[in-house]
Amino acid sequence: MWRLASAFFLGWSLGANDASNVFGTAVSSRMVRFWTAAILCSVFALLGAVWMGEAGLETYATLSSYSVDVAFIVALTSALTVTLMTLLKLPVSTSQAVVGAMIAAGLFADSVHWGSLTKVVVCWVGTPVGALLVAMILYKLLGAVFNRLNLNLFRYDAALRWGLIVAGCYGAFALGANNVANVTGPFVASGLISPTWGVWLGGLAIAAGVITYSRPVMMTVGTGIVQLNAFSALVVVAAEAVTVHVYAGIGVPVSTSQAVVGAVLGIGLLRDVRTINTRTLGNVVLAWLFTPAIAFAFTFAWLWVEKSL
Amino acid sequence: MSFTFPWRGSTNVKSRILAYLEQADLCLDRFAAAFRLYLERGPCEEVDDLRNDSHRAESAADDLRREIEQTLYEHELLPESRGDLLSLLESLDHIPGATQGVLNILFLEHPVLPEFLKPQLDQLVAINIEAYGVVHSAVVALMEDPARTRELCTRIDELESRSDRHQQVAIRELYASGLELAGKLQIKDVIRTIGAISDRCEHTADLLNIIAIKRRI
């Protein structure tokens, strides 16, 4: 059971990092106090994990078969990859790291299910593209509603503040539902714990990350999103939540960070194409390619060295 | 754990802005009364009293502005709205300030206003007071019915242009007269300082327009 510590560590870092994608805007602009956001985010992430997280666990179980030892290595190398990409300041996806590591472990044991893998990779491409489209639709729809309501300055402000809180709670729910499989998926696939234990343990690990260490990331990433403007920030969080929620239903863990980038690009396309930062876009593409590749390399190298010894 | 309900801050800020406008109204009302009395009687105690009333109202408005700024800095609103309101308040505050400039000239320099210019000066003050009145309505519209803000801002622009034209006519008449140059320069200063009120109003109107447009998606 001690091997589950690596899963808890991965879940903790996921919670600490990804909470910024759902509540960063609200906290960094100080409209919601950190503790209010952290508690709301952790409660809704746990709720999402427990309520809708099992579909993702099932997908991971079909990717490959592992021993408990391999599950431990997958979780640890994924966490190492996430840490490395974070140090390189690239928009990292925990899902891609975990899947890259799982494929390496599966190839090593010659037990990769290519059908499930194709589904996962298609969804990776679909995440930013889906978020981009959802953001464009939401921007137009919500914009028309706001214009029609002719809200005065204070009501407009209040509507955006409540909207960001509600969208943040929904985003936290989708985060828990979608990403819990990254945390305990390999251990459920190895048979060490049941799916029910998997969603509870993963959900609690994410919640712990949100509560204990999400503040600095929220302040950094949140201010980046707020630069758009409050209305666009609301659309970004809502589009990210809808997209990630859809993938939670399909049962494929995807990256909330990449959904955010897709949504920001969608708004950039609607407002002014020149506002799109091509360097950021390049970084996203690099992270797309390198995250699973690095996790794959770490895991394969570890297993190869272990076998050689 | 504490949570700031969005409506609480808005009510606080809105009621304080309305209170600020009341003081600014009083300041401009007393300014207009003081200036008209000066046109009638020249320097006298009643003009000084009205000037003091106007100054007190301007100080009270200033205190309220500082209170509102503090409330805003305590994070009652979104940073975007906070920034917009802070700029608006700063701009608004220059309007009562401009009236004090005119009253200070009257109080300190006791200029002798020539009879032939008095109707022009009276009308110039009326136009500038009207411009401020529309600014008041536009600020209220921003807080209650933003769709009206644009129309009111256009009206402020028109009044500012009228004020400019009046100033030009008055200055031309002034320089065509046989007054000595020192007197002409002193009265030109009075005319320009009155005109500064609608210039400030126009600046505030520009800001109001931008704030309203930013909230159209």
Side-chain angles (χ1 to χ4, degrees), chain B residues 128-181:
Chain B
N128 280 272
I129 293 291
E130 190 184 345
Y132 165 75
V134 187
V135 167
H136 178 134
S137 305
V139 174
V140 174
L142 186 74
M143 298 190 293
E144 286 170 7
D145 179 14
R148 279 194 65 221
T149 311
R150 255 182 123 168
E151 161 203 333
L152 292 167
C153 290
T154 310
R155 176 77 187 129
I156 297 164
D157 276 348
E158 287 166 7
L159 287 165
E160 195 273 339
S161 301
R162 259 182 74 193
S163 168
D164 277 354
R165 284 195 299 274
H166 255 83
Q167 285 178 69
Q168 282 170 10
V169 171
I171 292 170
R172 201 166 44 229
E173 279 184 29
L174 175 69
Y175 276 82
S177 73
L179 287 176
E180 60 181 87
L181 186 61

Side-chain angles (χ1 to χ4, degrees), chain A residues 183-197:
Chain A
V183 182
T184 48
F187 291 94
V188 174
S190 74
L192 181 68
I193 51 172
S194 67
T196 308
W197 272 105

Side-chain angles (χ1 to χ4, degrees), chain A residues 53-102:
Chain A
E54 285 196 30
L57 290 173
E58 281 163 20
T59 302
Y60 275 5
T62 61
L63 264 184
S64 184
S65 326
Y66 324 87
S67 65
V68 176
D69 284 338
V70 172
F72 167 75
I73 293 165
V74 164
L76 200 60
T77 50
S78 303
L80 283 172
T81 307
V82 169
T83 309
L84 180 71
M85 298 299 277
T86 307
L87 288 174
L88 293 172
K89 293 184 178 165
L90 289 170
V92 65
S93 158
T94 312
S95 314
Q96 287 181 322
V98 172
V99 171
M102 287 174 93

Side-chain angles (χ1 to χ4, degrees), chain A residues 63-192:
Chain A
L63 264 184
S64 184
S65 326
Y66 324 87
S67 65
V68 176
D69 284 338
V70 172
F72 167 75
I73 293 165
V74 164
L76 200 60
T77 50
S78 303
L80 283 172
T81 307
V82 169
T83 309
L84 180 71
M85 298 299 277
T86 307
L87 288 174
L88 293 172
K89 293 184 178 165
L90 289 170
V92 65
S93 158
T94 312
S95 314
Q96 287 181 322
V98 172
V99 171
M102 287 174 93
I103 293 167
L107 274 179
F108 206 82
D110 202 18
S111 64
V112 179
H113 303 289
W114 295 103
S116 303
L117 180 64
T118 310
K119 177 181 162 188
V120 169
V121 173
V122 167
C123 290
W124 284 355
V125 178
T127 306
V129 176
L132 182 146
L133 293 173
V134 173
M136 288 173 98
I137 295 165
L138 279 179
Y139 192 91
K140 288 281 179 193
L141 271 178
L142 281 176
V145 171
F146 269 66
N147 284 345
R148 201 176 173 82
L149 288 174
N150 186 30
L151 297 169
N152 69 46
L153 189 136
F154 298 111
R155 288 203 176 142
Y156 177 89
D157 193 273
L160 284 182
R161 299 172 90 192
W162 277 110
L164 276 163
I165 293 167
V166 172
C169 290
Y170 177 37
F173 179 88
L175 172 74
N178 187 287
N179 275 237
V180 71
N182 289 323
V183 182
T184 48
F187 291 94
V188 174
S190 74
L192 181 68

Side-chain angles (χ1 to χ4, degrees), chain A residues 21-35:
Chain A
N21 289 333
V22 289
F23 268 109
T25 306
V27 171
S28 63
S29 61
R30 302 191 188 191
M31 75 182 108
V32 180
R33 287 167 208 271
F34 168 74
W35 283 110

